[in-house]
Amino acid sequence: MTTLKRVDVHIEGIVQGVGFRPFVYSLANRLGLAGRVHNDVNGVHIEVEGAHDGVEEFLTALERDAPALSAIERVTVVSGEPAGHSGFTIATSDPAGPRRALVSADTATCDDCLRELADPADRRHRYPFINCTNCGPRFTIVRGVPYDRLMTTMAGYGMCGDCAREYHDPGDRRYHAQPTCCPACGPRLLLRDQRGTELCGDPVACAAVLLRAGRVVAVKGLGGYHLAVTASDERATAALRGRKHREEKPFAVMAADLAQARRIAHVDDTAAALLAGRARPIVLLPRRDGAPVAPSVAPGNRSLGIMLPYTALHHLLLAELAEPIVLTSGNVSDEPIAYEDDDALTRLAGIADAFLTHDRAIHLRADDSVIRPLPGAITVLRRARGYAPEPLALRRPVPRPVLACGAELKSTFCLAQGRRAFVSPHIGDLENHETLRSFIEGIDHYCGLFDIRPEIVAHDLHPGYLSTRHALDIHGVDHVGVQHHHAHIASCLADNGDPGPVIGVAFDGLGHGTDGTLWGGEFLRADLTGYERLGHLAQVPMPGGAAAIRQPWRMTAAYLRDQHPGLAVTERNAEHWADVLRLAADAPLTSSAGRLFDAVSALLGVRDKITYEGQAAIELEQRADPAETGAYDAAITTAPAGPLIVEGGDLVRAAAADLAAGTGPGVIAGRFHNGVAAAITRTCVALRQSTGLTAVALSGGVFQNALLLDRTVQRLRAAGFRVLKHVRVPPNDGGLSLGQAAVAAARDRR
């Protein structure tokens, strides 16, 4: 006699909008089981019954063979009495109760859809909005959960009979794929001029004609508008820079496929997997010598930011052009990316000559993510489209819901509840009013989407940060201030699921210190609840305050003062050198590692003035000879009962001496990077002796520098340390909100 078994299964994680219900339906039918499956506010609920062995195989295959886009966090199985179900069905969604279901990230067009796109016999041939359960827009069109069509910006498009049959057929690839549509019933592509007037003809073909003619075309993507020119056209690229007011910051380049990408950059296996993966980020890669890319695409940079098409529209446009294009955010420099059609026409009218657009609304903007491959690892520089809003798992549950408001630059916020931390997509610099509005609206949307009502709000200690002001304006919650560099190290700990304590090395531009100075080159004993400042780079003045950030030569003057008067940097800035030294007497003091890199960059003639944040240090890394093994030495001193002091000025003076002796800038930059890595390692060794700590966490924007990170990790591991570095969130301020949330939760737990 066959033994019957009944179980109720609840699955949490990314299991809505990824084909999970049809997968369950097919699995149950293949095994001859009865029951039903439906979405609810927490995930997917299954009632299944049948032969004992079949149910056991069902439970095993449920996780083993789950859809590729799913990410199961938890499976709860409860046994019960068979209910006598006849057959297996997919039931309607249950919207009741507190919402805990996850929303998947936007996903690049899958191979099956690309085959249909290219097939003249297919009814979706060359249709730019082709998608299925395995690909297409998700997060950027979702207005709420459960993830059903009525809760997306596709709600206004009634499906034709053919699409409806696919949508309701559990055996079809488009079963309950919420953006399902076709030319007969879905969004429409069109090309507009600067006044918004529709231009006739095939929009893709006409846009390609404009691009070949050197025009700038705004292209509506998944998370907002981009601005495009052909990547080989110097005149068009320079014109785009001028119109965008983006003087030198590199543009991203979109290539049609891996073969085209390999013609302009060096693409190894790691990079290829990133480029062709479902997230389709911008990947920073070494530029090929003689690559057919205009000089203005990435001036002064040995790398190119490459991405592959992630929408059907991109595939059509790149195929029509047969050459790479620049594809940069649709905005004026420092503004948020435009994503609403009327706003885009207004804000981009002075930049774009035409608009390749459509009538499917974007509910939430999302910039492209940026990844930098490293030996055996990657560094996330910007986490946005393709990754957000998928949560980061926390090592321990959060006692009460937390909102963390992040920093001022490279802004993100984080909502934490249970074992999940939802870090927002990259938002930008909050000094811009539109960006601040996007920040506030994003918080409201996340709170509604994930049904989180924060009881704790964490923020930076800097009273002038607009993120801090917003946090303090929220009433009826507990406020938790988190020191900037502690948040950096806590972010690295949370990123790695490590509670600490560790020796935390937090190297960045600037952060508000508790002693009234500007920190940025810190050695901390840190865990998630607190920290102690055990060491730092020697403090130097920042002549002119913020002016010293915009003009790195001022930091050279602060370090060298009247030494080496014959150096080119003093000659170039002779008119103001003495005035800057006088300003230094009353200037704010900083231990910033970022300003140390600035000083050496200007010293070597790389960059006296910057046009975007971090430019001097970025270009210094580009100049460094990676084959150089020499290292400058920095003294480490100990004050009685005080922190260790690392004399960064020794590195600047050694570089100046080498320069005066005729050593080349590439060698000097290499020795400087090695010297910083050596100083970090020697300081950590000294702190290990006093603390007994054997793990080091590296965080802060300076560790975006791949050369420094690689050399530092090598030296620390050779010295016997376990090294933690960022894996899932950026080391820069884009990861700060996660650290704030982790600290607030740990303190609440305590």
PDB file of all heavy atoms in Angstrom, residues 231 252-265 267 275 280 285 293 305-310 314-315 317-319 322-327:
ATOM      1  N   ALA A 231      31.587  55.696 -29.886  1.00  0.00           N
ATOM      2  CA  ALA A 231      32.768  55.764 -29.019  1.00  0.00           C
ATOM      3  C   ALA A 231      34.029  56.167 -29.766  1.00  0.00           C
ATOM      4  O   ALA A 231      34.989  56.632 -29.147  1.00  0.00           O
ATOM      5  CB  ALA A 231      32.983  54.417 -28.333  1.00  0.00           C
ATOM      6  N   ALA A 252      31.401  55.613 -19.773  1.00  0.00           N
ATOM      7  CA  ALA A 252      31.293  54.176 -20.002  1.00  0.00           C
ATOM      8  C   ALA A 252      31.081  53.904 -21.485  1.00  0.00           C
ATOM      9  O   ALA A 252      30.567  54.748 -22.222  1.00  0.00           O
ATOM     10  CB  ALA A 252      30.141  53.601 -19.182  1.00  0.00           C
ATOM     11  N   VAL A 253      31.482  52.705 -21.895  1.00  0.00           N
ATOM     12  CA  VAL A 253      31.344  52.288 -23.292  1.00  0.00           C
ATOM     13  C   VAL A 253      30.540  51.002 -23.326  1.00  0.00           C
ATOM     14  O   VAL A 253      30.814  50.069 -22.564  1.00  0.00           O
ATOM     15  CB  VAL A 253      32.727  52.063 -23.942  1.00  0.00           C
ATOM     16  CG1 VAL A 253      32.575  51.499 -25.350  1.00  0.00           C
ATOM     17  CG2 VAL A 253      33.522  53.362 -23.977  1.00  0.00           C
ATOM     18  N   MET A 254      29.540  50.955 -24.216  1.00  0.00           N
ATOM     19  CA  MET A 254      28.775  49.722 -24.408  1.00  0.00           C
ATOM     20  C   MET A 254      29.229  49.054 -25.708  1.00  0.00           C
ATOM     21  O   MET A 254      29.216  49.681 -26.774  1.00  0.00           O
ATOM     22  CB  MET A 254      27.275  49.991 -24.449  1.00  0.00           C
ATOM     23  CG  MET A 254      26.436  48.724 -24.714  1.00  0.00           C
ATOM     24  SD  MET A 254      24.652  48.983 -24.587  1.00  0.00           S
ATOM     25  CE  MET A 254      24.415  48.862 -22.798  1.00  0.00           C
ATOM     26  N   ALA A 255      29.643  47.790 -25.605  1.00  0.00           N
ATOM     27  CA  ALA A 255      30.016  46.989 -26.764  1.00  0.00           C
ATOM     28  C   ALA A 255      28.912  45.994 -27.057  1.00  0.00           C
ATOM     29  O   ALA A 255      28.173  45.584 -26.158  1.00  0.00           O
ATOM     30  CB  ALA A 255      31.331  46.258 -26.498  1.00  0.00           C
ATOM     31  N   ALA A 256      28.800  45.576 -28.320  1.00  0.00           N
ATOM     32  CA  ALA A 256      27.704  44.700 -28.722  1.00  0.00           C
ATOM     33  C   ALA A 256      27.811  43.325 -28.093  1.00  0.00           C
ATOM     34  O   ALA A 256      26.801  42.702 -27.767  1.00  0.00           O
ATOM     35  CB  ALA A 256      27.663  44.582 -30.243  1.00  0.00           C
ATOM     36  N   ASP A 257      29.042  42.826 -27.923  1.00  0.00           N
ATOM     37  CA  ASP A 257      29.246  41.477 -27.400  1.00  0.00           C
ATOM     38  C   ASP A 257      30.675  41.363 -26.892  1.00  0.00           C
ATOM     39  O   ASP A 257      31.454  42.327 -26.952  1.00  0.00           O
ATOM     40  CB  ASP A 257      28.953  40.426 -28.468  1.00  0.00           C
ATOM     41  CG  ASP A 257      29.663  40.702 -29.787  1.00  0.00           C
ATOM     42  OD1 ASP A 257      30.778  41.277 -29.761  1.00  0.00           O
ATOM     43  OD2 ASP A 257      29.113  40.355 -30.844  1.00  0.00           O
ATOM     44  N   LEU A 258      31.024  40.188 -26.400  1.00  0.00           N
ATOM     45  CA  LEU A 258      32.365  39.990 -25.844  1.00  0.00           C
ATOM     46  C   LEU A 258      33.444  40.176 -26.909  1.00  0.00           C
ATOM     47  O   LEU A 258      34.520  40.722 -26.618  1.00  0.00           O
ATOM     48  CB  LEU A 258      32.474  38.602 -25.219  1.00  0.00           C
ATOM     49  CG  LEU A 258      31.805  38.416 -23.854  1.00  0.00           C
ATOM     50  CD1 LEU A 258      31.845  36.948 -23.438  1.00  0.00           C
ATOM     51  CD2 LEU A 258      32.481  39.279 -22.792  1.00  0.00           C
ATOM     52  N   ALA A 259      33.173  39.732 -28.118  1.00  0.00           N
ATOM     53  CA  ALA A 259      34.174  39.876 -29.179  1.00  0.00           C
ATOM     54  C   ALA A 259      34.490  41.345 -29.425  1.00  0.00           C
ATOM     55  O   ALA A 259      35.662  41.734 -29.575  1.00  0.00           O
ATOM     56  CB  ALA A 259      33.680  39.205 -30.457  1.00  0.00           C
ATOM     57  N   GLN A 260      33.456  42.172 -29.461  1.00  0.00           N
ATOM     58  CA  GLN A 260      33.674  43.606 -29.665  1.00  0.00           C
ATOM     59  C   GLN A 260      34.367  44.231 -28.458  1.00  0.00           C
ATOM     60  O   GLN A 260      35.235  45.093 -28.603  1.00  0.00           O
ATOM     61  CB  GLN A 260      32.333  44.298 -29.936  1.00  0.00           C
ATOM     62  CG  GLN A 260      32.460  45.666 -30.588  1.00  0.00           C
ATOM     63  CD  GLN A 260      31.099  46.238 -30.956  1.00  0.00           C
ATOM     64  OE1 GLN A 260      30.394  46.767 -30.098  1.00  0.00           O
ATOM     65  NE2 GLN A 260      30.731  46.117 -32.222  1.00  0.00           N
ATOM     66  N   ALA A 261      34.007  43.779 -27.265  1.00  0.00           N
ATOM     67  CA  ALA A 261      34.656  44.292 -26.055  1.00  0.00           C
ATOM     68  C   ALA A 261      36.138  43.959 -26.053  1.00  0.00           C
ATOM     69  O   ALA A 261      36.973  44.779 -25.635  1.00  0.00           O
ATOM     70  CB  ALA A 261      33.982  43.714 -24.813  1.00  0.00           C
ATOM     71  N   ARG A 262      36.481  42.771 -26.528  1.00  0.00           N
ATOM     72  CA  ARG A 262      37.890  42.347 -26.535  1.00  0.00           C
ATOM     73  C   ARG A 262      38.731  43.140 -27.532  1.00  0.00           C
ATOM     74  O   ARG A 262      39.948  43.151 -27.428  1.00  0.00           O
ATOM     75  CB  ARG A 262      37.977  40.854 -26.833  1.00  0.00           C
ATOM     76  CG  ARG A 262      37.515  39.969 -25.669  1.00  0.00           C
ATOM     77  CD  ARG A 262      37.788  38.491 -25.926  1.00  0.00           C
ATOM     78  NE  ARG A 262      37.588  37.717 -24.709  1.00  0.00           N
ATOM     79  CZ  ARG A 262      36.557  36.906 -24.498  1.00  0.00           C
ATOM     80  NH1 ARG A 262      35.629  36.760 -25.447  1.00  0.00           N
ATOM     81  NH2 ARG A 262      36.438  36.237 -23.359  1.00  0.00           N
ATOM     82  N   ARG A 263      38.085  43.802 -28.488  1.00  0.00           N
ATOM     83  CA  ARG A 263      38.853  44.617 -29.434  1.00  0.00           C
ATOM     84  C   ARG A 263      39.272  45.947 -28.839  1.00  0.00           C
ATOM     85  O   ARG A 263      40.150  46.623 -29.376  1.00  0.00           O
ATOM     86  CB  ARG A 263      38.037  44.832 -30.716  1.00  0.00           C
ATOM     87  CG  ARG A 263      37.916  43.583 -31.566  1.00  0.00           C
ATOM     88  CD  ARG A 263      37.450  43.894 -32.978  1.00  0.00           C
ATOM     89  NE  ARG A 263      36.020  44.164 -33.043  1.00  0.00           N
ATOM     90  CZ  ARG A 263      35.088  43.225 -33.204  1.00  0.00           C
ATOM     91  NH1 ARG A 263      35.447  41.945 -33.304  1.00  0.00           N
ATOM     92  NH2 ARG A 263      33.822  43.549 -33.269  1.00  0.00           N
ATOM     93  N   ILE A 264      38.644  46.344 -27.735  1.00  0.00           N
ATOM     94  CA  ILE A 264      38.999  47.633 -27.144  1.00  0.00           C
ATOM     95  C   ILE A 264      39.575  47.514 -25.729  1.00  0.00           C
ATOM     96  O   ILE A 264      40.136  48.474 -25.205  1.00  0.00           O
ATOM     97  CB  ILE A 264      37.784  48.599 -27.123  1.00  0.00           C
ATOM     98  CG1 ILE A 264      36.613  48.002 -26.333  1.00  0.00           C
ATOM     99  CG2 ILE A 264      37.353  48.946 -28.538  1.00  0.00           C
ATOM    100  CD1 ILE A 264      35.421  48.943 -26.217  1.00  0.00           C
ATOM    101  N   ALA A 265      39.456  46.337 -25.118  1.00  0.00           N
ATOM    102  CA  ALA A 265      39.961  46.164 -23.752  1.00  0.00           C
ATOM    103  C   ALA A 265      40.426  44.725 -23.561  1.00  0.00           C
ATOM    104  O   ALA A 265      40.043  43.821 -24.315  1.00  0.00           O
ATOM    105  CB  ALA A 265      38.873  46.501 -22.728  1.00  0.00           C
ATOM    106  N   VAL A 267      40.077  41.450 -21.748  1.00  0.00           N
ATOM    107  CA  VAL A 267      38.968  40.795 -21.056  1.00  0.00           C
ATOM    108  C   VAL A 267      39.399  39.386 -20.658  1.00  0.00           C
ATOM    109  O   VAL A 267      39.545  38.509 -21.509  1.00  0.00           O
ATOM    110  CB  VAL A 267      37.717  40.728 -21.956  1.00  0.00           C
ATOM    111  CG1 VAL A 267      36.556  40.074 -21.206  1.00  0.00           C
ATOM    112  CG2 VAL A 267      37.322  42.123 -22.436  1.00  0.00           C
ATOM    113  N   LEU A 275      30.787  40.697 -17.431  1.00  0.00           N
ATOM    114  CA  LEU A 275      30.192  41.408 -18.562  1.00  0.00           C
ATOM    115  C   LEU A 275      28.951  40.698 -19.082  1.00  0.00           C
ATOM    116  O   LEU A 275      27.945  41.339 -19.417  1.00  0.00           O
ATOM    117  CB  LEU A 275      31.213  41.550 -19.691  1.00  0.00           C
ATOM    118  CG  LEU A 275      32.320  42.577 -19.498  1.00  0.00           C
ATOM    119  CD1 LEU A 275      33.405  42.403 -20.554  1.00  0.00           C
ATOM    120  CD2 LEU A 275      31.764  44.003 -19.560  1.00  0.00           C
ATOM    121  N   ARG A 280      24.888  42.611 -15.728  1.00  0.00           N
ATOM    122  CA  ARG A 280      25.457  43.473 -16.754  1.00  0.00           C
ATOM    123  C   ARG A 280      25.951  44.821 -16.203  1.00  0.00           C
ATOM    124  O   ARG A 280      25.504  45.889 -16.629  1.00  0.00           O
ATOM    125  CB  ARG A 280      24.441  43.721 -17.877  1.00  0.00           C
ATOM    126  CG  ARG A 280      24.051  42.470 -18.641  1.00  0.00           C
ATOM    127  CD  ARG A 280      25.190  41.948 -19.495  1.00  0.00           C
ATOM    128  NE  ARG A 280      24.952  40.603 -19.972  1.00  0.00           N
ATOM    129  CZ  ARG A 280      24.509  40.301 -21.204  1.00  0.00           C
ATOM    130  NH1 ARG A 280      24.268  41.259 -22.061  1.00  0.00           N
ATOM    131  NH2 ARG A 280      24.334  39.042 -21.545  1.00  0.00           N
ATOM    132  N   LEU A 285      38.225  47.797 -17.106  1.00  0.00           N
ATOM    133  CA  LEU A 285      39.184  46.888 -17.726  1.00  0.00           C
ATOM    134  C   LEU A 285      40.342  47.650 -18.356  1.00  0.00           C
ATOM    135  O   LEU A 285      40.166  48.793 -18.794  1.00  0.00           O
ATOM    136  CB  LEU A 285      38.485  46.051 -18.807  1.00  0.00           C
ATOM    137  CG  LEU A 285      37.341  45.157 -18.338  1.00  0.00           C
ATOM    138  CD1 LEU A 285      36.611  44.557 -19.521  1.00  0.00           C
ATOM    139  CD2 LEU A 285      37.866  44.067 -17.416  1.00  0.00           C
ATOM    140  N   VAL A 293      38.912  54.018 -29.752  1.00  0.00           N
ATOM    141  CA  VAL A 293      38.080  54.759 -28.803  1.00  0.00           C
ATOM    142  C   VAL A 293      38.610  56.187 -28.736  1.00  0.00           C
ATOM    143  O   VAL A 293      39.824  56.401 -28.604  1.00  0.00           O
ATOM    144  CB  VAL A 293      38.116  54.101 -27.406  1.00  0.00           C
ATOM    145  CG1 VAL A 293      37.374  54.946 -26.390  1.00  0.00           C
ATOM    146  CG2 VAL A 293      37.517  52.701 -27.458  1.00  0.00           C
ATOM    147  N   GLY A 305      35.633  51.704 -18.874  1.00  0.00           N
ATOM    148  CA  GLY A 305      34.458  51.090 -18.274  1.00  0.00           C
ATOM    149  C   GLY A 305      33.603  50.495 -19.377  1.00  0.00           C
ATOM    150  O   GLY A 305      33.018  51.222 -20.180  1.00  0.00           O
ATOM    151  N   ILE A 306      33.543  49.162 -19.444  1.00  0.00           N
ATOM    152  CA  ILE A 306      32.853  48.460 -20.530  1.00  0.00           C
ATOM    153  C   ILE A 306      31.604  47.781 -19.991  1.00  0.00           C
ATOM    154  O   ILE A 306      31.613  47.212 -18.897  1.00  0.00           O
ATOM    155  CB  ILE A 306      33.758  47.378 -21.158  1.00  0.00           C
ATOM    156  CG1 ILE A 306      35.127  47.955 -21.536  1.00  0.00           C
ATOM    157  CG2 ILE A 306      33.079  46.741 -22.361  1.00  0.00           C
ATOM    158  CD1 ILE A 306      35.110  48.914 -22.677  1.00  0.00           C
ATOM    159  N   MET A 307      30.527  47.815 -20.770  1.00  0.00           N
ATOM    160  CA  MET A 307      29.352  47.002 -20.457  1.00  0.00           C
ATOM    161  C   MET A 307      28.781  46.450 -21.748  1.00  0.00           C
ATOM    162  O   MET A 307      29.055  46.953 -22.841  1.00  0.00           O
ATOM    163  CB  MET A 307      28.304  47.795 -19.678  1.00  0.00           C
ATOM    164  CG  MET A 307      27.759  49.012 -20.367  1.00  0.00           C
ATOM    165  SD  MET A 307      26.487  49.808 -19.345  1.00  0.00           S
ATOM    166  CE  MET A 307      26.501  51.471 -20.008  1.00  0.00           C
ATOM    167  N   LEU A 308      27.992  45.397 -21.616  1.00  0.00           N
ATOM    168  CA  LEU A 308      27.307  44.783 -22.740  1.00  0.00           C
ATOM    169  C   LEU A 308      25.820  45.128 -22.672  1.00  0.00           C
ATOM    170  O   LEU A 308      25.299  45.500 -21.619  1.00  0.00           O
ATOM    171  CB  LEU A 308      27.491  43.265 -22.717  1.00  0.00           C
ATOM    172  CG  LEU A 308      28.916  42.729 -22.857  1.00  0.00           C
ATOM    173  CD1 LEU A 308      28.892  41.211 -23.012  1.00  0.00           C
ATOM    174  CD2 LEU A 308      29.666  43.377 -24.002  1.00  0.00           C
ATOM    175  N   PRO A 309      25.106  45.013 -23.794  1.00  0.00           N
ATOM    176  CA  PRO A 309      23.672  45.340 -23.807  1.00  0.00           C
ATOM    177  C   PRO A 309      22.895  44.533 -22.773  1.00  0.00           C
ATOM    178  O   PRO A 309      23.153  43.339 -22.579  1.00  0.00           O
ATOM    179  CB  PRO A 309      23.250  44.948 -25.233  1.00  0.00           C
ATOM    180  CG  PRO A 309      24.491  45.059 -26.041  1.00  0.00           C
ATOM    181  CD  PRO A 309      25.593  44.613 -25.125  1.00  0.00           C
ATOM    182  N   TYR A 310      21.941  45.192 -22.116  1.00  0.00           N
ATOM    183  CA  TYR A 310      21.124  44.471 -21.143  1.00  0.00           C
ATOM    184  C   TYR A 310      19.637  44.630 -21.412  1.00  0.00           C
ATOM    185  O   TYR A 310      18.805  44.100 -20.674  1.00  0.00           O
ATOM    186  CB  TYR A 310      21.462  44.891 -19.711  1.00  0.00           C
ATOM    187  CG  TYR A 310      21.434  46.373 -19.413  1.00  0.00           C
ATOM    188  CD1 TYR A 310      20.250  47.015 -19.080  1.00  0.00           C
ATOM    189  CD2 TYR A 310      22.596  47.121 -19.438  1.00  0.00           C
ATOM    190  CE1 TYR A 310      20.225  48.369 -18.789  1.00  0.00           C
ATOM    191  CE2 TYR A 310      22.588  48.478 -19.141  1.00  0.00           C
ATOM    192  CZ  TYR A 310      21.401  49.097 -18.815  1.00  0.00           C
ATOM    193  OH  TYR A 310      21.386  50.435 -18.531  1.00  0.00           O
ATOM    194  N   HIS A 314      18.966  47.929 -26.535  1.00  0.00           N
ATOM    195  CA  HIS A 314      20.423  48.053 -26.674  1.00  0.00           C
ATOM    196  C   HIS A 314      20.948  47.095 -27.744  1.00  0.00           C
ATOM    197  O   HIS A 314      21.784  47.472 -28.572  1.00  0.00           O
ATOM    198  CB  HIS A 314      21.110  47.728 -25.344  1.00  0.00           C
ATOM    199  CG  HIS A 314      20.868  48.722 -24.260  1.00  0.00           C
ATOM    200  ND1 HIS A 314      20.723  48.353 -22.940  1.00  0.00           N
ATOM    201  CD2 HIS A 314      20.744  50.064 -24.289  1.00  0.00           C
ATOM    202  CE1 HIS A 314      20.521  49.434 -22.214  1.00  0.00           C
ATOM    203  NE2 HIS A 314      20.527  50.477 -22.997  1.00  0.00           N
ATOM    204  N   HIS A 315      20.479  45.850 -27.718  1.00  0.00           N
ATOM    205  CA  HIS A 315      20.937  44.867 -28.700  1.00  0.00           C
ATOM    206  C   HIS A 315      20.612  45.329 -30.120  1.00  0.00           C
ATOM    207  O   HIS A 315      21.453  45.227 -31.026  1.00  0.00           O
ATOM    208  CB  HIS A 315      20.289  43.505 -28.436  1.00  0.00           C
ATOM    209  CG  HIS A 315      20.898  42.747 -27.310  1.00  0.00           C
ATOM    210  ND1 HIS A 315      22.076  42.038 -27.432  1.00  0.00           N
ATOM    211  CD2 HIS A 315      20.493  42.574 -26.020  1.00  0.00           C
ATOM    212  CE1 HIS A 315      22.370  41.461 -26.278  1.00  0.00           C
ATOM    213  NE2 HIS A 315      21.426  41.767 -25.408  1.00  0.00           N
ATOM    214  N   LEU A 317      20.098  48.427 -31.212  1.00  0.00           N
ATOM    215  CA  LEU A 317      20.861  49.620 -31.575  1.00  0.00           C
ATOM    216  C   LEU A 317      22.315  49.279 -31.873  1.00  0.00           C
ATOM    217  O   LEU A 317      22.892  49.762 -32.858  1.00  0.00           O
ATOM    218  CB  LEU A 317      20.763  50.644 -30.448  1.00  0.00           C
ATOM    219  CG  LEU A 317      21.433  52.001 -30.698  1.00  0.00           C
ATOM    220  CD1 LEU A 317      20.833  52.686 -31.915  1.00  0.00           C
ATOM    221  CD2 LEU A 317      21.299  52.901 -29.460  1.00  0.00           C
ATOM    222  N   LEU A 318      22.920  48.435 -31.044  1.00  0.00           N
ATOM    223  CA  LEU A 318      24.319  48.066 -31.259  1.00  0.00           C
ATOM    224  C   LEU A 318      24.489  47.240 -32.530  1.00  0.00           C
ATOM    225  O   LEU A 318      25.493  47.381 -33.242  1.00  0.00           O
ATOM    226  CB  LEU A 318      24.853  47.315 -30.048  1.00  0.00           C
ATOM    227  CG  LEU A 318      25.534  48.125 -28.921  1.00  0.00           C
ATOM    228  CD1 LEU A 318      26.837  48.728 -29.400  1.00  0.00           C
ATOM    229  CD2 LEU A 318      24.630  49.211 -28.376  1.00  0.00           C
ATOM    230  N   ALA A 319      23.522  46.395 -32.839  1.00  0.00           N
ATOM    231  CA  ALA A 319      23.587  45.614 -34.073  1.00  0.00           C
ATOM    232  C   ALA A 319      23.467  46.518 -35.292  1.00  0.00           C
ATOM    233  O   ALA A 319      24.139  46.309 -36.311  1.00  0.00           O
ATOM    234  CB  ALA A 319      22.486  44.556 -34.086  1.00  0.00           C
ATOM    235  N   ALA A 322      26.971  48.512 -35.389  1.00  0.00           N
ATOM    236  CA  ALA A 322      28.141  47.651 -35.602  1.00  0.00           C
ATOM    237  C   ALA A 322      29.422  48.254 -35.044  1.00  0.00           C
ATOM    238  O   ALA A 322      30.515  47.969 -35.534  1.00  0.00           O
ATOM    239  CB  ALA A 322      28.312  47.329 -37.092  1.00  0.00           C
ATOM    240  N   GLU A 323      29.324  49.091 -34.037  1.00  0.00           N
ATOM    241  CA  GLU A 323      30.497  49.615 -33.337  1.00  0.00           C
ATOM    242  C   GLU A 323      30.082  50.060 -31.935  1.00  0.00           C
ATOM    243  O   GLU A 323      28.907  50.332 -31.685  1.00  0.00           O
ATOM    244  CB  GLU A 323      31.136  50.772 -34.093  1.00  0.00           C
ATOM    245  CG  GLU A 323      30.258  52.010 -34.246  1.00  0.00           C
ATOM    246  CD  GLU A 323      31.009  53.163 -34.898  1.00  0.00           C
ATOM    247  OE1 GLU A 323      32.066  53.560 -34.357  1.00  0.00           O
ATOM    248  OE2 GLU A 323      30.542  53.648 -35.933  1.00  0.00           O
ATOM    249  N   PRO A 324      31.041  50.124 -31.005  1.00  0.00           N
ATOM    250  CA  PRO A 324      30.689  50.502 -29.626  1.00  0.00           C
ATOM    251  C   PRO A 324      30.198  51.945 -29.536  1.00  0.00           C
ATOM    252  O   PRO A 324      30.525  52.794 -30.376  1.00  0.00           O
ATOM    253  CB  PRO A 324      32.008  50.319 -28.867  1.00  0.00           C
ATOM    254  CG  PRO A 324      32.840  49.423 -29.722  1.00  0.00           C
ATOM    255  CD  PRO A 324      32.458  49.739 -31.130  1.00  0.00           C
ATOM    256  N   ILE A 325      29.430  52.198 -28.483  1.00  0.00           N
ATOM    257  CA  ILE A 325      28.944  53.548 -28.212  1.00  0.00           C
ATOM    258  C   ILE A 325      29.321  53.963 -26.794  1.00  0.00           C
ATOM    259  O   ILE A 325      29.466  53.127 -25.908  1.00  0.00           O
ATOM    260  CB  ILE A 325      27.409  53.667 -28.374  1.00  0.00           C
ATOM    261  CG1 ILE A 325      26.675  52.694 -27.429  1.00  0.00           C
ATOM    262  CG2 ILE A 325      27.002  53.443 -29.820  1.00  0.00           C
ATOM    263  CD1 ILE A 325      25.161  52.866 -27.421  1.00  0.00           C
ATOM    264  N   VAL A 326      29.496  55.254 -26.610  1.00  0.00           N
ATOM    265  CA  VAL A 326      29.517  55.810 -25.263  1.00  0.00           C
ATOM    266  C   VAL A 326      28.095  55.766 -24.745  1.00  0.00           C
ATOM    267  O   VAL A 326      27.142  56.096 -25.467  1.00  0.00           O
ATOM    268  CB  VAL A 326      30.031  57.265 -25.276  1.00  0.00           C
ATOM    269  CG1 VAL A 326      29.676  57.984 -23.972  1.00  0.00           C
ATOM    270  CG2 VAL A 326      31.534  57.300 -25.503  1.00  0.00           C
ATOM    271  N   LEU A 327      27.908  55.334 -23.506  1.00  0.00           N
ATOM    272  CA  LEU A 327      26.586  55.321 -22.896  1.00  0.00           C
ATOM    273  C   LEU A 327      26.751  55.810 -21.463  1.00  0.00           C
ATOM    274  O   LEU A 327      27.154  55.053 -20.577  1.00  0.00           O
ATOM    275  CB  LEU A 327      25.984  53.917 -22.937  1.00  0.00           C
ATOM    276  CG  LEU A 327      24.454  53.852 -22.878  1.00  0.00           C
ATOM    277  CD1 LEU A 327      23.834  54.470 -24.121  1.00  0.00           C
ATOM    278  CD2 LEU A 327      23.969  52.423 -22.728  1.00  0.00           C
TER     279      LEU A 327
END
